[in-house]
Amino acid sequence: DWSSDVCSSDLIQKATGLGVVAYLNNVRLELALEQLANTNDTIEAIADETGFGSARSFYRIFKDKYGMTPNDYRLLVTKKG
């Protein structure tokens, strides 16, 4: 029921200081970082596999958080490896 959803949302907010959407995006981004560094999957496939609604949303959210595109990140980490 909706009251348990509200309680879950409140718990996430108290535990992380983030709203539900921001928290989920952070979890998705962490998974995407691993996939970008360790697979040859396309950016579009990674966006889909990590639960972003579209590659466009993924690019925007990724760049807002990390200051670079997913492809730039992949190039950076694969050069270091």
Side-chain angles (χ1 to χ4, degrees), residues 1-19:
D1 80 20
W2 69 268
S3 63
S4 63
D5 292 342
V6 171
C7 289
S8 298
S9 177
D10 288 346
L11 287 173
I12 290 171
Q13 175 74 39
K14 287 178 186 171
T16 66
L18 300 170

Side-chain angles (χ1 to χ4, degrees), residues 16-79:
T16 66
L18 300 170
V20 173
V21 173
Y23 173 75
L24 289 174
N25 282 340
N26 281 346
V27 170
R28 291 174 178 139
L29 287 170
E30 298 262 333
L31 294 170
L33 289 175
E34 288 181 34
Q35 289 187 2
L36 288 164
N38 299 309
T39 74
N40 291 321
D41 294 351
T42 65
I43 304 297
E44 291 75 14
I46 292 171
D48 185 55
E49 292 165 8
T50 55
F52 287 93
S54 67
R56 184 177 176 175
S57 294
F58 175 55
Y59 273 94
R60 180 180 44 79
I61 293 166
F62 192 98
K63 190 164 186 181
D64 286 349
K65 175 138 180 137
Y66 300 113
M68 66 180 82
T69 67
N71 195 49
D72 289 342
Y73 173 80
R74 175 177 268 165
L75 292 171
L76 181 70
V77 298
T78 55
K79 246 185 218 176

